[in-house]
Amino acid sequence: ESLAAALDDNWVVTMRRHGATVVGRTVRELVFRSVHTRQNAELQLCAASLGGISALTKGETALSSAANLTENVERRLWEYWSSLLNM
């Protein structure tokens, strides 16, 4: 119940000493969000070492989500990641 409450309308929550929980409407979206959450965390850590960083505005977040979570982008990334598993 507490995890569901923490997620509310969010896609990711971090849990002290337990990593993170990521959700998505589909398996492809879940994988997309999981992979990009890890990549973004790594990039933010690197950026923070160079100086201050600022969060995206709500408008920027909405535009980014609309561009990144299109069916075509999800499909192409899924195909790419699947090909890596088949190597």
Side-chain angles (χ1 to χ4, degrees), residues 9-34:
D9 61 350
N10 299 300
W11 299 101
V12 179
V13 294
T14 56
M15 301 176 301
R16 190 178 355 185
R17 294 187 289 274
H18 292 288
T21 295
V22 182
V23 296
R25 291 173 286 237
T26 65
V27 171
R28 287 182 181 188
E29 184 178 317
L30 171 63
V31 171
F32 177 93
R33 289 185 185 282
S34 298

Side-chain angles (χ1 to χ4, degrees), residues 9-79:
D9 61 350
N10 299 300
W11 299 101
V12 179
V13 294
T14 56
M15 301 176 301
R16 190 178 355 185
R17 294 187 289 274
H18 292 288
T21 295
V22 182
V23 296
R25 291 173 286 237
T26 65
V27 171
R28 287 182 181 188
E29 184 178 317
L30 171 63
V31 171
F32 177 93
R33 289 185 185 282
S34 298
V35 169
H36 285 273
T37 297
R38 188 205 58 81
Q39 288 176 342
N40 288 339
E42 187 175 336
L43 291 171
Q44 283 186 352
L45 183 61
C46 290
S49 71
L50 298 173
I53 57 174
S54 60
L56 297 176
T57 66
K58 286 187 183 254
E60 290 169 330
T61 300
L63 288 172
S64 175
S65 294
N68 289 323
L69 289 174
T70 64
E71 183 178 331
N72 189 45
V73 171
E74 279 188 39
R75 180 182 48 78
R76 291 187 68 190
L77 283 169
W78 184 263
E79 290 170 1

